[in-house]
Amino acid sequence: MSHSGIGMTSQRTRERLIERIRAQGVRDEKVLSQILNTPRHLFIDEALSSRAYEDTALPIGKSQTISQPYIVARMTEALLEHGPLENVLEVGTGSGYQTAILSPLVRRVYTTERIESLLSQARSRFHQLRLINIRTRHTDGGLGWPQYAPFDGIIVTAAPLGVPLALVQQLRVGGRMVLPVGDKDKQALVRVTKTEDSHDIEMLEAASFVPLLDGVK
Ligand code: SAH
C-alpha cells in the first residue's frame, strides 16, 4: 500500500478528522482508531483525494456515495456497543470503506452489493489492504445472505422505507441491526434488536442515505 508523502494523508489531517468525530459524540476508542488508521483516500477516485479526510460523503460513481466518516463511526459504534460480534452481514458494500472499518473489529464480515462494478473495485481494495476476513457477494442484499445466517450483527448502508423483515429473520436472538430507514425527505438511523418473539427498535438520529433498491446491476 502506498500513501507516502502526500499532504492529504498526513497524520495531522487524519487526527483532525478524529477530533471532529469525537466532538460529535463518538466515544468508542477502537472505532476511532480504525478511522484514524484506515486510508480513506484509497476508497475514492484520485480526483477527489484531496477531500478524503473531510467529514463528508463523496461520490463514488453510479450515483452512489462513500458514507461520511462520522456516520460510519456512529453506526459501527452502535453495532458493537453491547459487546463484540462474530459474524456480521453488511448490505451495500459501495466503496468498501465501512467494510474496512468493521473488518478488524469482528470475526467475519459478509458484505453484499447490487452494483457489480463497485463491488469489484471494493474487492481489490480489501486485497490491497490485506483484509482477509471479508466475504463478498454480488446480490440484492435486501434478501440477506441466508447461507451464513443467523448473524450477530447486520449493518445496512442504504435506506429501505421500513425495516426489512427478511433481514430481521437472519439475526440471531439478541443480535442487532443498524440501518437508516425512510425516504430522502425523512430518514432516521435506527437500531433493531432481535428478541425471542419479535424485535425492538431504537431511534438513533436523523440520517441521509441513498435508497436501498431491488435487484442487481
Ligand atoms: N458503505 C458504503 C456506502 C455506499 S452507498 C461506503 O461507505 O462506501 C450504499 C450502497 O448500497 C451503494 O453502493 C448501493 O449500490 C448499495 N445498495 C443499494 N441497494 C442495495 C441492495 N438491495 N443490495 C445491496 N446493495 C445495495
Side-chain angles (χ1 to χ4, degrees), residues 1 3 8-11 13-15 17-18 30-43 52-53 66 69 72 76 95-105 125-126 129 131 134:
M1 159 176 63
H3 40 97
M8 68 215 166
T9 68
S10 77
Q11 193 67 7
T13 310
R14 294 195 197 185
E15 277 163 11
L17 173 61
I18 296 307
K30 292 190 304 303
V31 172
L32 291 166
S33 103
Q34 268 307 108
I35 302 265
L36 183 66
N37 293 316
T38 303
R40 189 169 183 253
H41 63 281
L42 298 184
F43 292 83
Y53 299 92
I66 181 171
V72 171
T76 310
S95 67
Y97 180 66
Q98 168 75 71
T99 329
I101 296 294
L102 196 55
S103 150
L105 302 175
R125 292 170 182 137
F126 302 151
L129 295 170
L131 303 174
I134 299 170

Side-chain angles (χ1 to χ4, degrees), residues 64-67 90-98 112-115 118 139-142 157-158 210-213:
Q64 305 305 319
T65 53
I66 181 171
S67 304
E90 179 183 42
V91 179
T93 317
S95 67
Y97 180 66
Q98 168 75 71
T112 58
E113 170 57 56
R114 66 183 289 277
I115 301 177
L118 292 180
T139 186
D140 179 346
T157 66
V210 296
L212 188 82
L213 300 173

Side-chain angles (χ1 to χ4, degrees), residues 89 137 143-151 170:
L89 173 70
R137 187 175 181 203
L143 307 173
W145 194 339
Q147 189 188 347
Y148 293 108
F151 298 99
Q170 291 178 36

